[in-house]
Amino acid sequence: MSGFSGLRVLIVEDEGLVALMIEDMLQDLGCEIVASVSRLSKGRTIATTVPVDLAVLDVNLAGQPSFPIAEILQKRQIPFIFSTGYGIDGLPQEFATRPAIGKPFSSSDLQRAIAVAMEF
C-alpha cells in the first residue's frame, strides 16, 4: 500500500487496454476507481458531478482534447494528471505546470505523478 489509499480517482482514457492498466496500477496503490470513461462528454459529466480526489486524463480522446475536463477539475480544485502518447511538451500554457506522464509509463511513474498532482 501507499499513501494514496482510499484516493477516489477518475480515469479518462479512450484506449481500453490502457485504461485497464491504469486501473490496475491505481488499485495496487490503494486507490478507488470512481469511474473510467472513454469519451469527452462522459468525462465532463463525471468531472462536474461526482466527488473525486484525483483524475488521470488522456490528452487525446478519439481526436478531441481532454482540456475541457481539466478546466472543470481545475475550477473544482481537483488535482489531475495528463497522460499522453504525443509528448508532454504539447500542453497549453494554462496546463504547462500540471504533471504529465508519457505513454507507456510504469507504476512508479504514475506514483510520482500522483504525488506531484496532490501538491497543487
Side-chain angles (χ1 to χ4, degrees):
M1 284 295 171
S2 69
F4 307 126
S5 184
L7 201 65
R8 298 168 299 176
V9 183
L10 164 64
I11 300 170
V12 183
E13 168 62 59
D14 65 346
E15 294 182 38
L17 290 177
V18 174
L20 289 173
M21 178 195 71
I22 295 170
E23 286 178 30
D24 286 346
M25 287 181 184
L26 289 168
Q27 288 170 337
D28 287 346
L29 293 172
C31 299
E32 173 190 337
I33 309 305
V34 173
S36 183
V37 300
S38 61
R39 296 292 178 245
L40 180 64
S41 60
K42 186 69 173 174
R44 289 176 69 171
T45 299
I46 299 289
T48 301
T49 60
V50 175
V52 298
D53 301 312
L54 174 76
V56 179
L57 307 176
D58 183 1
V59 170
N60 184 346
L61 300 169
Q64 295 182 299
S66 64
F67 305 131
I69 300 169
E71 290 169 356
I72 292 166
L73 295 168
Q74 191 166 264
K75 286 178 186 166
R76 291 185 65 196
Q77 298 180 331
I78 296 171
F80 55 89
I81 299 163
F82 288 113
S83 70
T84 179
Y86 297 102
I88 58 176
D89 296 329
L91 296 177
Q93 184 64 32
E94 67 184 297
F95 300 123
T97 60
R98 293 291 180 160
I101 49 179
K103 294 178 191 175
F105 54 85
S106 68
S107 182
S108 60
D109 294 332
L110 181 59
Q111 190 169 1
R112 281 189 295 275
I114 292 170
V116 171
M118 297 307 289
E119 293 176 5
F120 267 86

